[in-house]
Amino acid sequence: MSENVSAPPSRPRTVHSADGTPIGYRTTGSGPALIVLGGTLRTSDDYLPLASTLARSFTVHVVDRRGRGDSGPQGPGYSLEKEVEDLLAVQAETGARLAFGHSYGGLVVLAAARAFPLFDRVAVYEPGVPYAPVPTTWMDPYRERLAARDPYGAMVHFIRGSGGAPPFMAKMPHWYLRTVLRLVFRGPAWQRMRPLLESNLAEHEQIAAQQGRIGDFADVAAPVLLLRGGRSRVRPEEAAALHDTLPHAVLETLDGLDHFAPSERKAAPAVAERALAFFA
């Protein structure tokens, strides 16, 4: 998990989405407007290192998606479409013609781009567009652990069940892995993450709802830079399937990086440099 780091001064701003939900975002840098949309279990704080590099050439608007930061709650009837409406509200306020999305944020960016011709260019890092069947058996026990106010127990079910954990973790007893997580997940990053655990479940339910709909993204007209990490557990064939679906896409692998690179202090600049070259 990333920690707070030095970053250029940012100005907090708020816009209201179509349903009235306030959506907070932080603005830094100067130049053409660029929106950054982050992934699950992340806030705008986690993307400040990425924004710091991008701000050399752009006015960067780092959004706190609903359910986190200065934004309002996910609310009843939460859906991917609500997230698209939030992005459209920020775009209308800022006039941004460029967007960068990470993980679930990448799914939101692509979903917006396929329905609205607002962005001239889009960069996404391992967007949450499902290709293989999405694991869902972890969701009920995860929900039960949250109801029991056991966030570490919930995280055990998520890490082992969502498909992103190394195989050896599946062999660890639940109590042992929960103890390990209590040692690993702490400090400022955990304090930001813990309130997002319920949002994490709702967002993964939306990812699962996209299963079998990868063909819809053939409607994205904007050029897309599709990035994946060389150390990621996202399989090359999954990225290739999305690349083959998008009509104007370039697929690149960044060696040595994992799925969380855009939100990690040391790795984010490498991701940002590639995005800068694409957006220039």
Side-chain angles (χ1 to χ4, degrees):
M1 296 185 298
S2 58
E3 301 290 340
N4 283 321
V5 297
S6 297
S10 61
R11 303 182 298 279
R13 298 179 176 180
T14 302
V15 67
H16 286 82
S17 191
D19 65 357
T21 300
I23 303 299
Y25 62 98
R26 299 161 72 170
T27 300
T28 186
S30 61
L34 164 64
I35 295 173
V36 172
L37 215 60
T40 60
L41 297 174
R42 296 294 187 269
T43 72
S44 60
D45 282 345
D46 295 294
Y47 294 92
L48 293 181
L50 183 83
S52 178
T53 301
L54 294 173
R56 298 201 316 249
S57 301
F58 297 98
T59 301
V60 184
H61 306 288
V62 188
V63 179
D64 268 315
R65 292 191 297 101
R66 60 172 60 202
R68 69 208 69 216
D70 292 332
S71 296
Q74 287 183 331
Y78 171 77
S79 66
L80 176 61
E81 288 71 27
K82 294 283 188 182
E83 294 269 8
V84 170
E85 291 175 355
D86 300 345
L87 175 56
L88 297 181
V90 176
Q91 192 280 332
E93 184 73 10
T94 63
R97 303 290 299 184
L98 307 170
F100 177 95
H102 172 216
S103 192
Y104 188 78
L107 170 61
V108 176
V109 167
L110 290 176
R114 74 185 177 190
F116 303 94
L118 296 173
F119 298 110
D120 296 330
R121 285 186 169 239
V122 165
V124 288
Y125 189 100
E126 300 194 355
V129 179
Y131 170 66
V134 178
T136 59
T137 56
W138 61 272
M139 293 182 177
D140 284 344
Y142 179 95
R143 185 181 291 108
E144 291 169 3
R145 286 297 88 208
L146 288 183
R149 299 184 180 180
D150 178 13
Y152 292 106
M155 285 297 291
V156 170
H157 289 293
F158 172 60
I159 291 172
R160 295 204 303 191
S162 61
F168 73 88
M169 284 191 176
K171 301 178 182 179
M172 292 183 177
H174 185 283
W175 67 265
Y176 180 80
L177 187 53
R178 184 179 181 278
T179 301
V180 171
L181 293 185
R182 289 183 64 90
L183 297 175
V184 175
F185 286 173
R186 56 183 180 177
W190 172 245
Q191 294 306 314
R192 293 195 300 274
M193 182 186 295
R194 182 171 177 172
L196 304 178
L197 296 183
E198 290 191 9
S199 298
N200 177 54
L201 176 59
E203 290 161 13
H204 277 84
E205 288 174 335
Q206 290 300 303
I207 292 174
Q210 293 295 308
Q211 178 66 43
R213 300 183 60 186
I214 191 171
D216 294 352
F217 293 92
D219 293 333
V220 176
V224 177
L225 174 63
L226 180 59
L227 298 172
R228 68 175 294 272
R231 293 179 56 238
S232 173
R233 294 188 63 82
V234 174
R235 296 178 298 175
E237 56 266 32
E238 296 182 38
L242 182 57
H243 169 259
D244 293 343
T245 301
L246 295 166
H248 309 290
V250 175
L251 172 61
E252 295 188 13
T253 298
L254 301 182
D255 293 337
L257 301 187
D258 64 15
H259 177 71
F260 304 102
S263 61
E264 297 291 344
R265 177 177 60 85
K266 293 182 179 179
V271 178
E273 291 288 355
R274 185 60 198 93
L276 283 172
F278 175 72
F279 287 135

Short mmCIF file of all heavy atoms in Angstrom, two decimals, residues 13-25 63 66 70-73 82-94:
data_model
loop_
_atom_site.label_atom_id
_atom_site.label_comp_id
_atom_site.label_asym_id
_atom_site.label_seq_id
_atom_site.Cartn_x
_atom_site.Cartn_y
_atom_site.Cartn_z
N ARG A 13 -11.84 20.83 -4.92
CA ARG A 13 -13.01 21.37 -5.59
C ARG A 13 -14.12 20.33 -5.52
O ARG A 13 -13.89 19.16 -5.27
CB ARG A 13 -12.70 21.71 -7.06
CG ARG A 13 -11.62 22.78 -7.21
CD ARG A 13 -11.31 23.08 -8.65
NE ARG A 13 -10.36 24.17 -8.78
CZ ARG A 13 -9.91 24.65 -9.93
NH1 ARG A 13 -10.32 24.12 -11.07
NH2 ARG A 13 -9.04 25.65 -9.95
N THR A 14 -15.35 20.78 -5.75
CA THR A 14 -16.50 19.88 -5.70
C THR A 14 -17.47 20.22 -6.81
O THR A 14 -17.69 21.40 -7.12
CB THR A 14 -17.23 19.99 -4.35
OG1 THR A 14 -16.32 19.70 -3.28
CG2 THR A 14 -18.40 19.01 -4.28
N VAL A 15 -18.03 19.20 -7.42
CA VAL A 15 -19.08 19.36 -8.42
C VAL A 15 -20.19 18.39 -8.04
O VAL A 15 -19.96 17.41 -7.32
CB VAL A 15 -18.54 19.06 -9.84
CG1 VAL A 15 -18.17 17.59 -9.99
CG2 VAL A 15 -19.52 19.50 -10.91
N HIS A 16 -21.40 18.65 -8.48
CA HIS A 16 -22.52 17.76 -8.16
C HIS A 16 -22.90 16.93 -9.38
O HIS A 16 -23.02 17.43 -10.49
CB HIS A 16 -23.73 18.56 -7.67
CG HIS A 16 -23.55 19.08 -6.28
ND1 HIS A 16 -22.85 20.25 -6.02
CD2 HIS A 16 -23.93 18.59 -5.07
CE1 HIS A 16 -22.83 20.46 -4.70
NE2 HIS A 16 -23.47 19.46 -4.11
N SER A 17 -23.06 15.64 -9.14
CA SER A 17 -23.42 14.71 -10.20
C SER A 17 -24.90 14.85 -10.54
O SER A 17 -25.64 15.61 -9.91
CB SER A 17 -23.08 13.28 -9.76
OG SER A 17 -23.19 12.38 -10.85
N ALA A 18 -25.35 14.06 -11.51
CA ALA A 18 -26.72 14.16 -11.99
C ALA A 18 -27.74 13.89 -10.90
O ALA A 18 -28.84 14.47 -10.89
CB ALA A 18 -26.93 13.21 -13.16
N ASP A 19 -27.40 13.01 -9.94
CA ASP A 19 -28.35 12.70 -8.86
C ASP A 19 -28.14 13.57 -7.63
O ASP A 19 -28.73 13.32 -6.58
CB ASP A 19 -28.27 11.22 -8.48
CG ASP A 19 -26.92 10.84 -7.87
OD1 ASP A 19 -26.02 11.70 -7.79
OD2 ASP A 19 -26.76 9.67 -7.46
N GLY A 20 -27.30 14.60 -7.74
CA GLY A 20 -27.06 15.53 -6.65
C GLY A 20 -25.91 15.16 -5.73
O GLY A 20 -25.57 15.93 -4.83
N THR A 21 -25.29 14.01 -5.93
CA THR A 21 -24.18 13.58 -5.09
C THR A 21 -22.97 14.48 -5.32
O THR A 21 -22.55 14.67 -6.46
CB THR A 21 -23.79 12.12 -5.39
OG1 THR A 21 -24.92 11.28 -5.14
CG2 THR A 21 -22.62 11.68 -4.53
N PRO A 22 -22.39 15.04 -4.24
CA PRO A 22 -21.17 15.84 -4.42
C PRO A 22 -19.99 14.94 -4.79
O PRO A 22 -19.79 13.89 -4.19
CB PRO A 22 -20.97 16.50 -3.06
CG PRO A 22 -21.69 15.61 -2.09
CD PRO A 22 -22.84 15.02 -2.84
N ILE A 23 -19.22 15.38 -5.75
CA ILE A 23 -18.03 14.64 -6.19
C ILE A 23 -16.84 15.57 -6.01
O ILE A 23 -16.73 16.62 -6.66
CB ILE A 23 -18.14 14.19 -7.66
CG1 ILE A 23 -19.38 13.32 -7.87
CG2 ILE A 23 -16.87 13.46 -8.08
CD1 ILE A 23 -19.40 12.05 -7.04
N GLY A 24 -15.93 15.17 -5.11
CA GLY A 24 -14.75 15.98 -4.84
C GLY A 24 -13.60 15.61 -5.76
O GLY A 24 -13.45 14.45 -6.15
N TYR A 25 -12.80 16.60 -6.09
CA TYR A 25 -11.59 16.33 -6.86
C TYR A 25 -10.54 17.38 -6.51
O TYR A 25 -10.85 18.45 -6.00
CB TYR A 25 -11.87 16.30 -8.37
CG TYR A 25 -12.39 17.59 -8.97
CD1 TYR A 25 -11.54 18.48 -9.62
CD2 TYR A 25 -13.75 17.92 -8.93
CE1 TYR A 25 -12.02 19.64 -10.20
CE2 TYR A 25 -14.23 19.08 -9.49
CZ TYR A 25 -13.37 19.95 -10.13
OH TYR A 25 -13.84 21.11 -10.70
N VAL A 63 -9.84 12.67 -9.08
CA VAL A 63 -11.20 12.54 -8.56
C VAL A 63 -11.25 11.57 -7.39
O VAL A 63 -10.62 10.51 -7.41
CB VAL A 63 -12.15 12.06 -9.68
CG1 VAL A 63 -13.58 11.91 -9.15
CG2 VAL A 63 -12.12 13.02 -10.87
N ARG A 66 -17.27 8.45 -5.86
CA ARG A 66 -18.28 8.44 -4.80
C ARG A 66 -18.01 7.30 -3.82
O ARG A 66 -17.57 6.22 -4.19
CB ARG A 66 -19.70 8.36 -5.35
CG ARG A 66 -20.02 7.16 -6.18
CD ARG A 66 -21.52 7.10 -6.49
NE ARG A 66 -21.97 8.27 -7.24
CZ ARG A 66 -23.23 8.69 -7.27
NH1 ARG A 66 -24.17 8.04 -6.60
NH2 ARG A 66 -23.58 9.76 -7.98
N ASP A 70 -13.76 13.47 -0.32
CA ASP A 70 -14.72 14.56 -0.18
C ASP A 70 -16.01 14.31 -0.95
O ASP A 70 -16.88 15.19 -0.99
CB ASP A 70 -14.08 15.87 -0.68
CG ASP A 70 -12.96 16.34 0.23
OD1 ASP A 70 -13.00 16.03 1.44
OD2 ASP A 70 -12.04 17.02 -0.27
N SER A 71 -16.14 13.16 -1.57
CA SER A 71 -17.34 12.86 -2.34
C SER A 71 -18.42 12.25 -1.45
O SER A 71 -18.14 11.74 -0.36
CB SER A 71 -17.02 11.91 -3.49
OG SER A 71 -16.15 12.52 -4.42
N GLY A 72 -19.64 12.27 -1.94
CA GLY A 72 -20.75 11.70 -1.20
C GLY A 72 -20.75 10.18 -1.27
O GLY A 72 -19.92 9.56 -1.94
N PRO A 73 -21.72 9.55 -0.58
CA PRO A 73 -21.78 8.08 -0.53
C PRO A 73 -22.20 7.49 -1.87
O PRO A 73 -22.73 8.19 -2.73
CB PRO A 73 -22.83 7.81 0.54
CG PRO A 73 -23.71 9.02 0.50
CD PRO A 73 -22.80 10.18 0.20
N LYS A 82 -23.90 5.32 -12.55
CA LYS A 82 -23.75 6.45 -11.64
C LYS A 82 -22.32 6.99 -11.68
O LYS A 82 -22.09 8.20 -11.66
CB LYS A 82 -24.10 6.02 -10.21
CG LYS A 82 -25.55 5.65 -9.99
CD LYS A 82 -26.43 6.88 -9.89
CE LYS A 82 -27.84 6.50 -9.46
NZ LYS A 82 -28.73 7.69 -9.40
N GLU A 83 -21.36 6.07 -11.73
CA GLU A 83 -19.96 6.49 -11.79
C GLU A 83 -19.68 7.25 -13.10
O GLU A 83 -18.91 8.22 -13.11
CB GLU A 83 -19.04 5.27 -11.70
CG GLU A 83 -19.09 4.54 -10.37
CD GLU A 83 -18.06 5.06 -9.37
OE1 GLU A 83 -17.41 6.09 -9.64
OE2 GLU A 83 -17.91 4.41 -8.32
N VAL A 84 -20.28 6.80 -14.18
CA VAL A 84 -20.13 7.51 -15.45
C VAL A 84 -20.70 8.92 -15.34
O VAL A 84 -20.09 9.90 -15.82
CB VAL A 84 -20.80 6.73 -16.60
CG1 VAL A 84 -20.87 7.56 -17.88
CG2 VAL A 84 -20.04 5.44 -16.87
N GLU A 85 -21.86 9.05 -14.71
CA GLU A 85 -22.45 10.37 -14.51
C GLU A 85 -21.54 11.28 -13.69
O GLU A 85 -21.42 12.48 -13.98
CB GLU A 85 -23.81 10.24 -13.82
CG GLU A 85 -24.88 9.60 -14.71
CD GLU A 85 -26.18 9.37 -13.95
OE1 GLU A 85 -26.21 9.62 -12.72
OE2 GLU A 85 -27.16 8.94 -14.59
N ASP A 86 -20.87 10.70 -12.69
CA ASP A 86 -19.94 11.49 -11.88
C ASP A 86 -18.78 12.00 -12.73
O ASP A 86 -18.37 13.16 -12.63
CB ASP A 86 -19.38 10.64 -10.73
CG ASP A 86 -20.47 10.12 -9.80
OD1 ASP A 86 -21.60 10.63 -9.85
OD2 ASP A 86 -20.17 9.19 -9.03
N LEU A 87 -18.23 11.11 -13.56
CA LEU A 87 -17.13 11.51 -14.44
C LEU A 87 -17.58 12.59 -15.41
O LEU A 87 -16.84 13.55 -15.66
CB LEU A 87 -16.62 10.28 -15.20
CG LEU A 87 -15.55 10.52 -16.26
CD1 LEU A 87 -14.34 11.23 -15.68
CD2 LEU A 87 -15.14 9.20 -16.92
N LEU A 88 -18.77 12.45 -15.95
CA LEU A 88 -19.28 13.46 -16.88
C LEU A 88 -19.43 14.81 -16.20
O LEU A 88 -19.19 15.86 -16.82
CB LEU A 88 -20.63 13.01 -17.45
CG LEU A 88 -20.64 11.74 -18.30
CD1 LEU A 88 -22.04 11.46 -18.81
CD2 LEU A 88 -19.66 11.85 -19.45
N ALA A 89 -19.82 14.80 -14.92
CA ALA A 89 -19.97 16.06 -14.19
C ALA A 89 -18.62 16.76 -14.02
O ALA A 89 -18.51 17.98 -14.18
CB ALA A 89 -20.60 15.81 -12.82
N VAL A 90 -17.58 15.98 -13.70
CA VAL A 90 -16.24 16.56 -13.57
C VAL A 90 -15.74 17.05 -14.92
O VAL A 90 -15.13 18.12 -15.04
CB VAL A 90 -15.26 15.54 -12.96
CG1 VAL A 90 -13.85 16.12 -12.91
CG2 VAL A 90 -15.71 15.13 -11.57
N GLN A 91 -16.01 16.29 -15.97
CA GLN A 91 -15.59 16.69 -17.31
C GLN A 91 -16.26 18.00 -17.73
O GLN A 91 -15.62 18.88 -18.31
CB GLN A 91 -15.91 15.57 -18.31
CG GLN A 91 -15.26 15.74 -19.68
CD GLN A 91 -16.00 16.71 -20.58
OE1 GLN A 91 -17.22 16.88 -20.46
NE2 GLN A 91 -15.27 17.36 -21.49
N ALA A 92 -17.55 18.11 -17.45
CA ALA A 92 -18.27 19.32 -17.82
C ALA A 92 -17.74 20.54 -17.06
O ALA A 92 -17.66 21.65 -17.61
CB ALA A 92 -19.77 19.15 -17.55
N GLU A 93 -17.35 20.32 -15.81
CA GLU A 93 -16.84 21.42 -14.98
C GLU A 93 -15.44 21.84 -15.41
O GLU A 93 -15.10 23.03 -15.37
CB GLU A 93 -16.84 20.99 -13.52
CG GLU A 93 -16.44 22.08 -12.53
CD GLU A 93 -17.52 23.13 -12.34
OE1 GLU A 93 -18.65 22.95 -12.81
OE2 GLU A 93 -17.21 24.16 -11.70
N THR A 94 -14.62 20.89 -15.79
CA THR A 94 -13.21 21.17 -16.08
C THR A 94 -12.90 21.33 -17.56
O THR A 94 -11.87 21.90 -17.92
CB THR A 94 -12.32 20.03 -15.55
OG1 THR A 94 -12.65 18.81 -16.24
CG2 THR A 94 -12.53 19.83 -14.05
#
